[in-house]
Structure formats: structure tokens, C-alpha cells
Amino acid sequence: MNNNANSLAKRRYIIATIVVVIVLVYVGQLFNLQLMSPRYREYADSNAFFRKTLYPARGAIYDRNGKLLVYNRPTYDVMMVVREMKQFDTLDFCRTLNIDVERFHTLNADMRDRRKNPGYSSYTPQLFMTQLNVEEYGLLQEKLYKFPGIYIQGRTERQYNYPNMGLILGYVAEVDKNKMAADPYYVRGDYVGKSGIELSHEEDLRGEKGVEILLRDAHGRVQGKYENGAHDKAPVSGKDLTLGIDIDLQAYGEKLMHNKVGSIVMINPKTGEILSMVSAPTYDPVLLTGKSSDFSANYRELENNPFKPLLNRAIAGTYPPGSTFKPTQGLIFLQEGIITPETHYACYGGYPPLGGRPACHPHGSPLALQPALATSCNSYFCYGLNAMLSNRSKYASVVAAFDVWRDHMVDLGYGYPLGVDLPSEKRGFIPNSKFYTNIFKTERWNAHNIISIAIGQGEILATPLQIANLGALIANRGYYYTPHVVKERKGAALETTYTTRHDSGINREYFELTVEGMADAVTKGTCRGINLSPLVDVCGKTGTSQNPHGDDHSIFMGFAPKDDPQVAIAVVVENGRFGATNAVPIARLMMQKFFRGEIPESDQWLETTIVNREILPYSYIRNLPPLPPKN
């Protein structure tokens, strides 16, 4: 009996213990859910409160003279809170938004798909459809009472006052999953800068979101502001940006480059501010605005265009710089003591030690550095390179000599990105000694194996921005500031990257000699076509860049005025043949526009000729569709 009683008591104790444990686990879980779990708190809050995001106005963009380039106009998004939705007339809703029922179901499915919309919750507002215009907003607002769970979210959309500089300004588009994962600021339906200034200055332009907290009743109906808006946060507008670019000068450059492929870059040497950056062909920035369907169609058309209007050739196009590279050679040879200003080399229609290769045009011989720059003598700089790389009293080997040469080139702004405040800048190419040692399988190579680099050919590649920057460096007699598009950020200082002086390490006296040679090139040498005396003394250097895929590229680099430089310029015209044929006339007209503000009557014939001149590769002319139209 006692055994049975003890056994029964033991079983009751075990059962009671199990019950107590279950109750404790349950209570603990409730405690965790209600007090500790952030997810539960979010759901509880979302039932009681309606958090309405207030989007800031994106910063406006102005040109250097205060002309408004980019601004915002109102646009509206359709938001859904699924838990609040009741049956309504879907056809009426679709007619109001001017979409078909199939589109409605697609948008609805995308909204609920957690792969496409990782932040989906039936309790919180979810993006259904973007970018309603004012008329569509008005129609929906009138009928909103018919569609429970539907809300309208105000935003802004980018607008443009000029059909120019699409590649520089860039565009904004809906944020993707990768960006949302990398930056918690963004949620589905947000817009973010994708290219150009819109991308590189995204954090300046985007501003800070605000929030409005509204109180809801048990049925989910909004009753008003929570605690009279005490916890609301106003949005902070993005910073306005002022560019160094002159929109009138920019538009004129784009006009001159119509039906051509290439680039124009103009820089203020005293500050590094970019005054004009033309990449041809380009596109009207308005093409990449509007509803996603219009944006996608226009983007595909631009992306598939064989002329590559989405490529900013000014910073991502790489070309052999040709004879515009020769001033760097002379500066290095002088600094290294390989030559003096009086050193003369002979030229007999080409470089004599290699049987006249590379060839050269007729001019006086022998000659010193200054006239060699004025006449663009190939032989002179080939002699100089050979003298440096074969100098065993100064350098232990050709490898050591070449690496000294390359280090100077880097200090002169070649071989690496300059750091312009735009995405996708290319580095160009300046080889080091290892590059050639790997090619020749030995360190016993010499200048004659690579002689074409003496005249900016062979493996040498540079961007138009690097070529223009060289003009600025020479204009300053030995230093430059990192080229930049943005001149001012409202309420914030410009980054020190763009106000720090970069010295070349080459003596000023050698730059003075180089300036004289480039001045002679304009008054009595290869680029007489840009002589604007007495208006302004221009210094320049032409280049004819060999192109294995068609006609040579036409290049010019220069600056003005000679003794108080205000502008440096580089012009690259793909397939434009000699530098003096196309690059020089374009540079002349851009200089006239810069210094006069208009083209004088004496040059209007030249303007008409250049604007109407089509310069395209033969294969493009025969087989490809026309360039994108310009408004």
C-alpha cells in the first residue's frame, strides 16, 4: 500500500514538474517575444503606428556661373499596406493608374517576393508602383477612399535645363539589392546615383530621409500624428553642387564634336577646375529619366549603340598621345642631365641610327630642344631616349635607367588615374622595366627595341584628361592640382584632394624652355592654326596618334595665355588624321569661345566647316546606325 502511494506521489511530482517547466518555457518565450525580440517589437509598433518616410529633395547642380543645370520636380509612388487591404475594384484601380490587369498582378507579385523585396512585410508600406506624374497623382488622390490599404508617397524626379553633359552629370535609377545590402540607408524603391556626378557625389546629393509617425486604431485606420508630431523627423535636403564647368562652353564643344568621335577637355591650371569636358558622342540626360519602362528602353538603345555614347572618352578613352608626349621627354632628359638646352641632334627625314625609322617631316637639322619642340622632330627625342637608357656612367643598367624615366612620367601625371571626381577613370599605360623584360625574356634590351615610346607611340597610352593635365602642369611651370568637376559643395568644404598641389620634381627653368618651344610651335611651327595673337599668346603641341584600326587620331595639347595661363586644353579626334587638320581648328574655336565669349566673324567660316565635318571610321559610315540625335 505504502509502495503504491509512494509511486503515485512520485508520478504526480514528475507530472507537476513537467507542467511547471512547460509553463516557465512558455512564459519565458512570451517575455522574449514581447520585451526582448526586436522583430516582435517592430510588428507590434507597425500595428499601432504608421511610419511614413519623408524623402529629401536631391541637391541641385549649377554651372560655374550659377546657371541651374539639374533640379527636381514632384513625382509620386503608390504604396500598399497588405494587412489593411480589402477587396476593391481592381479594374477601376488599374484604369486610374493607366495599367492593365496583367501589369497589376506582376507588380503585386514583385512586391510580395522577398527575393526582389527583402524588406517585405504585410504590416508596413510596400512600394507597388513608382513615378506617378502630377496628373496621375490627382486622379488617384480623388479615388483613394475606394482603395483601402493604398497610400501615396511623395518623391522628386531629376529634371534638366540643358540637353548637354549627360556623361558628366550621370543619372539616377532604382537601387539594386547589392546597394541595399551594402548601405542600410536604402530600401526597395529608393533611387541612387548610378553614374557621373550623381554617383561620385551621391552622399552629398541624396540628403537625409525624415519620418512622420502616425497613430492607427485597432482597425489600422490612421487617426492622426503620434503625440502631435513630437517624434517626427524632418528630411534634410541634399547639398547643392556648383561645377567648374561653363555650360555655354560645354554646349559649344559638344556642337563642334557632332558627327565625330573623341573628346575635349579644358582645365583651369590655377585650380584644377574642369571648365569643359566633352565626350563624343554623348546623350541628352533627359533620356535617362522618367518611368522605369521608358528608362530601360532608352538605356538599352544607348548601351547597344556601337558609337558607345555611354563611354566617357575624356576619362576612360585611352590613346597613344603621339607628339603631345614629347615635352615630357625633353623635361626628363634635362632634369636627368642627359641633354642641355644647347644639345643638338640631327634628323634626315627620320632617326638615322635605325635607317630613318621612325620617319620625320622636313625641317632644319641639326637642332636643339626648343626648335625640336616647335617642329615636332621625331629624331631628336629618339636620340634623347637612347642617350638616357644607354648611359652607364649614371645608371647601372637599362632597367635602372628606364625605371627612373618611368618614375618621372608618373610624377608628370601619367600611368595612374589622376583622381578626378567622376567614376570609371582609366589609368592609361606607362610600362615599367619588368614589362619589357618579360616581353624580351632578358634584361639585355635597349632603347632601339622600344624606340617608338620616345614619340608617344608603342605601348604608351593616355586619357584626354591626362593630356590636358600635362598642359596645365607645363602652364604652371612644374605643378598641377588634381582635375575636378565640382567646384563647390554647399555647406561643406571641397576635399583637400582637390586643393593639394602636386609637384613634378623637375626644375622650373626646364619648364620655361619647354614653354618657349611650345610658343614657337604656335607662331612658326606645327600648330600655327591656333595662333590667336594679339588676342592671346597660345602655347601648344600637336600630335598624330597612330591607329591600327583606321586613320590616325588627331590630337592637340596647349594652354593660354603664355605668361598668365587661364586655361589648358586637350582635343582628341578619333580618325582625324594630322593634329593640325582637326584637333587644332577645334582647339582654336574653343579658345575663341573661352576668351571672347563668341566666335569672331573671321572664324565663323571655320566654325561652319568643323560643325558640318563628319569624321568617322569607314566601317561605321558603311554599316552602323547614325549617332544619337542632339536636341
Side-chain angles (χ1 to χ4, degrees), residues 298-333:
N298 290 336
Y299 187 88
R300 281 195 302 272
E301 184 174 348
L302 291 169
E303 188 175 40
N304 294 330
N305 190 298
F307 289 100
K308 302 186 185 305
L310 293 175
L311 172 67
N312 188 344
R313 287 173 166 83
I315 61 173
T318 56
Y319 308 88
S323 294
T324 64
F325 198 62
K326 290 173 181 174
T328 65
Q329 304 283 52
L331 289 164
I332 293 171
F333 302 155

mmCIF file of all heavy atoms in Angstrom, residues 298-333:
data_model
loop_
_atom_site.group_PDB
_atom_site.id
_atom_site.type_symbol
_atom_site.label_atom_id
_atom_site.label_comp_id
_atom_site.label_asym_id
_atom_site.label_seq_id
_atom_site.Cartn_x
_atom_site.Cartn_y
_atom_site.Cartn_z
ATOM 1 N N ASN A 298 15.390 53.371 -73.241
ATOM 2 C CA ASN A 298 16.402 54.330 -73.673
ATOM 3 C C ASN A 298 17.808 53.861 -73.319
ATOM 4 O O ASN A 298 18.748 54.028 -74.098
ATOM 5 C CB ASN A 298 16.135 55.699 -73.036
ATOM 6 C CG ASN A 298 14.897 56.370 -73.598
ATOM 7 O OD1 ASN A 298 14.471 56.073 -74.716
ATOM 8 N ND2 ASN A 298 14.299 57.254 -72.828
ATOM 9 N N TYR A 299 17.942 53.275 -72.124
ATOM 10 C CA TYR A 299 19.263 52.802 -71.713
ATOM 11 C C TYR A 299 19.748 51.689 -72.637
ATOM 12 O O TYR A 299 20.919 51.675 -73.053
ATOM 13 C CB TYR A 299 19.232 52.313 -70.267
ATOM 14 C CG TYR A 299 20.609 51.976 -69.745
ATOM 15 C CD1 TYR A 299 21.403 52.955 -69.159
ATOM 16 C CD2 TYR A 299 21.129 50.686 -69.868
ATOM 17 C CE1 TYR A 299 22.674 52.653 -68.693
ATOM 18 C CE2 TYR A 299 22.396 50.387 -69.413
ATOM 19 C CZ TYR A 299 23.161 51.373 -68.828
ATOM 20 O OH TYR A 299 24.431 51.077 -68.391
ATOM 21 N N ARG A 300 18.864 50.755 -72.957
ATOM 22 C CA ARG A 300 19.255 49.663 -73.866
ATOM 23 C C ARG A 300 19.689 50.209 -75.218
ATOM 24 O O ARG A 300 20.669 49.731 -75.806
ATOM 25 C CB ARG A 300 18.096 48.680 -74.028
ATOM 26 C CG ARG A 300 17.923 47.705 -72.885
ATOM 27 C CD ARG A 300 17.017 46.549 -73.277
ATOM 28 N NE ARG A 300 15.708 47.006 -73.706
ATOM 29 C CZ ARG A 300 14.674 47.205 -72.884
ATOM 30 N NH1 ARG A 300 14.811 46.984 -71.587
ATOM 31 N NH2 ARG A 300 13.511 47.613 -73.354
ATOM 32 N N GLU A 301 18.967 51.198 -75.701
ATOM 33 C CA GLU A 301 19.319 51.770 -77.010
ATOM 34 C C GLU A 301 20.703 52.425 -76.959
ATOM 35 O O GLU A 301 21.516 52.262 -77.878
ATOM 36 C CB GLU A 301 18.267 52.794 -77.425
ATOM 37 C CG GLU A 301 18.497 53.358 -78.814
ATOM 38 C CD GLU A 301 17.372 54.276 -79.274
ATOM 39 O OE1 GLU A 301 16.304 54.299 -78.620
ATOM 40 O OE2 GLU A 301 17.565 54.970 -80.286
ATOM 41 N N LEU A 302 20.972 53.162 -75.882
ATOM 42 C CA LEU A 302 22.287 53.793 -75.735
ATOM 43 C C LEU A 302 23.385 52.753 -75.545
ATOM 44 O O LEU A 302 24.473 52.866 -76.117
ATOM 45 C CB LEU A 302 22.270 54.764 -74.555
ATOM 46 C CG LEU A 302 21.430 56.034 -74.715
ATOM 47 C CD1 LEU A 302 21.301 56.753 -73.377
ATOM 48 C CD2 LEU A 302 22.029 56.954 -75.762
ATOM 49 N N GLU A 303 23.102 51.743 -74.749
ATOM 50 C CA GLU A 303 24.097 50.706 -74.461
ATOM 51 C C GLU A 303 24.450 49.915 -75.705
ATOM 52 O O GLU A 303 25.606 49.512 -75.897
ATOM 53 C CB GLU A 303 23.572 49.780 -73.367
ATOM 54 C CG GLU A 303 24.595 48.786 -72.853
ATOM 55 C CD GLU A 303 24.075 47.974 -71.695
ATOM 56 O OE1 GLU A 303 22.888 47.570 -71.729
ATOM 57 O OE2 GLU A 303 24.825 47.737 -70.750
ATOM 58 N N ASN A 304 23.482 49.691 -76.578
ATOM 59 C CA ASN A 304 23.707 48.885 -77.776
ATOM 60 C C ASN A 304 24.227 49.702 -78.953
ATOM 61 O O ASN A 304 24.582 49.135 -79.983
ATOM 62 C CB ASN A 304 22.413 48.172 -78.177
ATOM 63 C CG ASN A 304 21.985 47.144 -77.151
ATOM 64 O OD1 ASN A 304 22.821 46.561 -76.461
ATOM 65 N ND2 ASN A 304 20.685 46.912 -77.034
ATOM 66 N N ASN A 305 24.240 51.029 -78.811
ATOM 67 C CA ASN A 305 24.734 51.867 -79.903
ATOM 68 C C ASN A 305 26.235 51.643 -80.085
ATOM 69 O O ASN A 305 27.006 51.788 -79.128
ATOM 70 C CB ASN A 305 24.451 53.336 -79.603
ATOM 71 C CG ASN A 305 24.730 54.220 -80.803
ATOM 72 O OD1 ASN A 305 25.858 54.304 -81.282
ATOM 73 N ND2 ASN A 305 23.701 54.870 -81.298
ATOM 74 N N PRO A 306 26.697 51.277 -81.273
ATOM 75 C CA PRO A 306 28.122 50.943 -81.475
ATOM 76 C C PRO A 306 29.063 52.128 -81.301
ATOM 77 O O PRO A 306 30.269 51.933 -81.169
ATOM 78 C CB PRO A 306 28.149 50.415 -82.914
ATOM 79 C CG PRO A 306 26.928 50.975 -83.551
ATOM 80 C CD PRO A 306 25.888 51.073 -82.489
ATOM 81 N N PHE A 307 28.534 53.344 -81.293
ATOM 82 C CA PHE A 307 29.386 54.511 -81.059
ATOM 83 C C PHE A 307 29.683 54.712 -79.570
ATOM 84 O O PHE A 307 30.435 55.608 -79.207
ATOM 85 C CB PHE A 307 28.730 55.772 -81.623
ATOM 86 C CG PHE A 307 28.707 55.821 -83.126
ATOM 87 C CD1 PHE A 307 27.554 55.475 -83.823
ATOM 88 C CD2 PHE A 307 29.825 56.188 -83.843
ATOM 89 C CE1 PHE A 307 27.522 55.511 -85.202
ATOM 90 C CE2 PHE A 307 29.805 56.236 -85.223
ATOM 91 C CZ PHE A 307 28.646 55.885 -85.908
ATOM 92 N N LYS A 308 29.054 53.887 -78.724
ATOM 93 C CA LYS A 308 29.310 53.896 -77.281
ATOM 94 C C LYS A 308 29.084 55.272 -76.637
ATOM 95 O O LYS A 308 29.987 55.846 -76.004
ATOM 96 C CB LYS A 308 30.715 53.401 -76.971
ATOM 97 C CG LYS A 308 30.982 51.995 -77.489
ATOM 98 C CD LYS A 308 32.336 51.487 -77.040
ATOM 99 C CE LYS A 308 32.670 50.132 -77.651
ATOM 100 N NZ LYS A 308 31.667 49.109 -77.410
ATOM 101 N N PRO A 309 27.882 55.816 -76.746
ATOM 102 C CA PRO A 309 27.628 57.124 -76.121
ATOM 103 C C PRO A 309 27.627 57.098 -74.599
ATOM 104 O O PRO A 309 27.614 58.164 -73.979
ATOM 105 C CB PRO A 309 26.239 57.499 -76.673
ATOM 106 C CG PRO A 309 25.605 56.208 -77.043
ATOM 107 C CD PRO A 309 26.716 55.321 -77.502
ATOM 108 N N LEU A 310 27.625 55.912 -73.979
ATOM 109 C CA LEU A 310 27.695 55.830 -72.524
ATOM 110 C C LEU A 310 29.136 55.789 -72.007
ATOM 111 O O LEU A 310 29.365 55.751 -70.803
ATOM 112 C CB LEU A 310 26.942 54.588 -72.013
ATOM 113 C CG LEU A 310 25.426 54.605 -72.199
ATOM 114 C CD1 LEU A 310 24.822 53.271 -71.774
ATOM 115 C CD2 LEU A 310 24.789 55.752 -71.428
ATOM 116 N N LEU A 311 30.108 55.787 -72.915
ATOM 117 C CA LEU A 311 31.526 55.785 -72.537
ATOM 118 C C LEU A 311 32.036 57.219 -72.480
ATOM 119 O O LEU A 311 31.997 57.937 -73.481
ATOM 120 C CB LEU A 311 32.340 54.981 -73.553
ATOM 121 C CG LEU A 311 33.865 55.037 -73.395
ATOM 122 C CD1 LEU A 311 34.290 54.338 -72.107
ATOM 123 C CD2 LEU A 311 34.564 54.411 -74.602
ATOM 124 N N ASN A 312 32.514 57.641 -71.315
ATOM 125 C CA ASN A 312 33.113 58.970 -71.189
ATOM 126 C C ASN A 312 34.558 58.890 -71.658
ATOM 127 O O ASN A 312 35.475 58.560 -70.897
ATOM 128 C CB ASN A 312 33.042 59.458 -69.746
ATOM 129 C CG ASN A 312 33.477 60.910 -69.610
ATOM 130 O OD1 ASN A 312 34.098 61.475 -70.513
ATOM 131 N ND2 ASN A 312 33.152 61.523 -68.487
ATOM 132 N N ARG A 313 34.763 59.191 -72.926
ATOM 133 C CA ARG A 313 36.093 59.065 -73.521
ATOM 134 C C ARG A 313 37.103 60.016 -72.897
ATOM 135 O O ARG A 313 38.311 59.783 -72.979
ATOM 136 C CB ARG A 313 36.000 59.302 -75.032
ATOM 137 C CG ARG A 313 35.348 58.140 -75.781
ATOM 138 C CD ARG A 313 35.115 58.486 -77.251
ATOM 139 N NE ARG A 313 34.800 57.299 -78.038
ATOM 140 C CZ ARG A 313 33.588 56.752 -78.140
ATOM 141 N NH1 ARG A 313 32.571 57.308 -77.484
ATOM 142 N NH2 ARG A 313 33.386 55.676 -78.881
ATOM 143 N N ALA A 314 36.652 61.090 -72.281
ATOM 144 C CA ALA A 314 37.581 62.052 -71.683
ATOM 145 C C ALA A 314 38.387 61.425 -70.557
ATOM 146 O O ALA A 314 39.546 61.789 -70.323
ATOM 147 C CB ALA A 314 36.817 63.266 -71.169
ATOM 148 N N ILE A 315 37.782 60.467 -69.829
ATOM 149 C CA ILE A 315 38.478 59.853 -68.699
ATOM 150 C C ILE A 315 38.667 58.352 -68.871
ATOM 151 O O ILE A 315 39.461 57.750 -68.154
ATOM 152 C CB ILE A 315 37.737 60.129 -67.377
ATOM 153 C CG1 ILE A 315 36.323 59.549 -67.407
ATOM 154 C CG2 ILE A 315 37.707 61.617 -67.079
ATOM 155 C CD1 ILE A 315 35.601 59.647 -66.076
ATOM 156 N N ALA A 316 37.950 57.740 -69.799
ATOM 157 C CA ALA A 316 38.032 56.284 -69.975
ATOM 158 C C ALA A 316 38.478 55.882 -71.374
ATOM 159 O O ALA A 316 38.659 54.696 -71.640
ATOM 160 C CB ALA A 316 36.677 55.639 -69.660
ATOM 161 N N GLY A 317 38.656 56.843 -72.283
ATOM 162 C CA GLY A 317 39.237 56.550 -73.587
ATOM 163 C C GLY A 317 40.755 56.642 -73.473
ATOM 164 O O GLY A 317 41.291 57.590 -72.888
ATOM 165 N N THR A 318 41.463 55.665 -73.984
ATOM 166 C CA THR A 318 42.932 55.681 -73.909
ATOM 167 C C THR A 318 43.510 55.658 -75.322
ATOM 168 O O THR A 318 43.087 54.878 -76.165
ATOM 169 C CB THR A 318 43.471 54.493 -73.097
ATOM 170 O OG1 THR A 318 42.985 53.259 -73.653
ATOM 171 C CG2 THR A 318 43.027 54.592 -71.644
ATOM 172 N N TYR A 319 44.493 56.522 -75.546
ATOM 173 C CA TYR A 319 45.074 56.718 -76.869
ATOM 174 C C TYR A 319 46.595 56.867 -76.749
ATOM 175 O O TYR A 319 47.085 57.406 -75.749
ATOM 176 C CB TYR A 319 44.531 58.001 -77.509
ATOM 177 C CG TYR A 319 43.037 58.116 -77.522
ATOM 178 C CD1 TYR A 319 42.357 58.679 -76.439
ATOM 179 C CD2 TYR A 319 42.287 57.685 -78.616
ATOM 180 C CE1 TYR A 319 40.976 58.796 -76.441
ATOM 181 C CE2 TYR A 319 40.897 57.807 -78.627
ATOM 182 C CZ TYR A 319 40.255 58.360 -77.530
ATOM 183 O OH TYR A 319 38.886 58.486 -77.541
ATOM 184 N N PRO A 320 47.358 56.445 -77.773
ATOM 185 C CA PRO A 320 48.752 56.865 -77.815
ATOM 186 C C PRO A 320 48.780 58.400 -77.939
ATOM 187 O O PRO A 320 48.124 58.949 -78.837
ATOM 188 C CB PRO A 320 49.289 56.201 -79.085
ATOM 189 C CG PRO A 320 48.312 55.093 -79.391
ATOM 190 C CD PRO A 320 46.987 55.584 -78.915
ATOM 191 N N PRO A 321 49.461 59.107 -77.055
ATOM 192 C CA PRO A 321 49.402 60.574 -77.090
ATOM 193 C C PRO A 321 50.182 61.201 -78.227
ATOM 194 O O PRO A 321 50.064 62.411 -78.476
ATOM 195 C CB PRO A 321 49.983 60.980 -75.736
ATOM 196 C CG PRO A 321 50.876 59.841 -75.359
ATOM 197 C CD PRO A 321 50.227 58.610 -75.908
ATOM 198 N N GLY A 322 50.988 60.398 -78.939
ATOM 199 C CA GLY A 322 51.730 60.938 -80.066
ATOM 200 C C GLY A 322 52.672 62.046 -79.625
ATOM 201 O O GLY A 322 53.233 62.026 -78.527
ATOM 202 N N SER A 323 52.820 63.050 -80.467
ATOM 203 C CA SER A 323 53.821 64.092 -80.218
ATOM 204 C C SER A 323 53.472 65.016 -79.062
ATOM 205 O O SER A 323 54.333 65.789 -78.618
ATOM 206 C CB SER A 323 54.032 64.916 -81.492
ATOM 207 O OG SER A 323 54.609 64.111 -82.510
ATOM 208 N N THR A 324 52.241 64.973 -78.542
ATOM 209 C CA THR A 324 51.947 65.759 -77.339
ATOM 210 C C THR A 324 52.736 65.230 -76.145
ATOM 211 O O THR A 324 52.815 65.886 -75.108
ATOM 212 C CB THR A 324 50.439 65.725 -77.000
ATOM 213 O OG1 THR A 324 50.041 64.376 -76.680
ATOM 214 C CG2 THR A 324 49.601 66.233 -78.164
ATOM 215 N N PHE A 325 53.326 64.047 -76.306
ATOM 216 C CA PHE A 325 54.122 63.404 -75.259
ATOM 217 C C PHE A 325 55.554 63.936 -75.235
ATOM 218 O O PHE A 325 56.267 63.772 -74.242
ATOM 219 C CB PHE A 325 54.127 61.895 -75.536
ATOM 220 C CG PHE A 325 54.514 61.015 -74.385
ATOM 221 C CD1 PHE A 325 53.764 60.981 -73.228
ATOM 222 C CD2 PHE A 325 55.625 60.177 -74.479
ATOM 223 C CE1 PHE A 325 54.109 60.129 -72.176
ATOM 224 C CE2 PHE A 325 55.971 59.316 -73.444
ATOM 225 C CZ PHE A 325 55.205 59.303 -72.277
ATOM 226 N N LYS A 326 55.989 64.562 -76.318
ATOM 227 C CA LYS A 326 57.388 64.956 -76.442
ATOM 228 C C LYS A 326 57.855 65.952 -75.384
ATOM 229 O O LYS A 326 59.007 65.866 -74.933
ATOM 230 C CB LYS A 326 57.656 65.493 -77.852
ATOM 231 C CG LYS A 326 57.605 64.409 -78.918
ATOM 232 C CD LYS A 326 57.712 64.987 -80.324
ATOM 233 C CE LYS A 326 57.633 63.882 -81.379
ATOM 234 N NZ LYS A 326 57.595 64.426 -82.763
ATOM 235 N N PRO A 327 57.027 66.903 -74.952
ATOM 236 C CA PRO A 327 57.502 67.798 -73.886
ATOM 237 C C PRO A 327 57.928 67.060 -72.626
ATOM 238 O O PRO A 327 58.887 67.480 -71.960
ATOM 239 C CB PRO A 327 56.291 68.705 -73.632
ATOM 240 C CG PRO A 327 55.569 68.742 -74.943
ATOM 241 C CD PRO A 327 55.733 67.361 -75.500
ATOM 242 N N THR A 328 57.245 65.958 -72.289
ATOM 243 C CA THR A 328 57.646 65.197 -71.100
ATOM 244 C C THR A 328 59.044 64.620 -71.286
ATOM 245 O O THR A 328 59.835 64.578 -70.326
ATOM 246 C CB THR A 328 56.666 64.051 -70.806
ATOM 247 O OG1 THR A 328 56.707 63.092 -71.879
ATOM 248 C CG2 THR A 328 55.242 64.550 -70.656
ATOM 249 N N GLN A 329 59.347 64.172 -72.488
ATOM 250 C CA GLN A 329 60.671 63.588 -72.755
ATOM 251 C C GLN A 329 61.773 64.623 -72.566
ATOM 252 O O GLN A 329 62.778 64.370 -71.898
ATOM 253 C CB GLN A 329 60.719 63.041 -74.185
ATOM 254 C CG GLN A 329 59.652 62.028 -74.518
ATOM 255 C CD GLN A 329 59.951 60.667 -73.937
ATOM 256 O OE1 GLN A 329 60.206 60.531 -72.749
ATOM 257 N NE2 GLN A 329 59.921 59.655 -74.779
ATOM 258 N N GLY A 330 61.567 65.781 -73.167
ATOM 259 C CA GLY A 330 62.575 66.836 -73.038
ATOM 260 C C GLY A 330 62.794 67.228 -71.589
ATOM 261 O O GLY A 330 63.936 67.439 -71.145
ATOM 262 N N LEU A 331 61.706 67.338 -70.810
ATOM 263 C CA LEU A 331 61.823 67.710 -69.399
ATOM 264 C C LEU A 331 62.633 66.679 -68.622
ATOM 265 O O LEU A 331 63.490 67.036 -67.799
ATOM 266 C CB LEU A 331 60.424 67.858 -68.790
ATOM 267 C CG LEU A 331 59.621 69.070 -69.255
ATOM 268 C CD1 LEU A 331 58.139 68.908 -68.900
ATOM 269 C CD2 LEU A 331 60.180 70.354 -68.630
ATOM 270 N N ILE A 332 62.379 65.402 -68.870
ATOM 271 C CA ILE A 332 63.097 64.341 -68.152
ATOM 272 C C ILE A 332 64.574 64.337 -68.547
ATOM 273 O O ILE A 332 65.461 64.232 -67.698
ATOM 274 C CB ILE A 332 62.451 62.971 -68.437
ATOM 275 C CG1 ILE A 332 61.052 62.910 -67.828
ATOM 276 C CG2 ILE A 332 63.320 61.839 -67.897
ATOM 277 C CD1 ILE A 332 60.246 61.691 -68.239
ATOM 278 N N PHE A 333 64.852 64.462 -69.853
ATOM 279 C CA PHE A 333 66.253 64.445 -70.296
ATOM 280 C C PHE A 333 67.028 65.621 -69.704
ATOM 281 O O PHE A 333 68.199 65.478 -69.322
ATOM 282 C CB PHE A 333 66.322 64.493 -71.824
ATOM 283 C CG PHE A 333 65.608 63.362 -72.521
ATOM 284 C CD1 PHE A 333 65.130 63.510 -73.818
ATOM 285 C CD2 PHE A 333 65.409 62.145 -71.880
ATOM 286 C CE1 PHE A 333 64.472 62.477 -74.469
ATOM 287 C CE2 PHE A 333 64.746 61.111 -72.522
ATOM 288 C CZ PHE A 333 64.272 61.275 -73.819
#
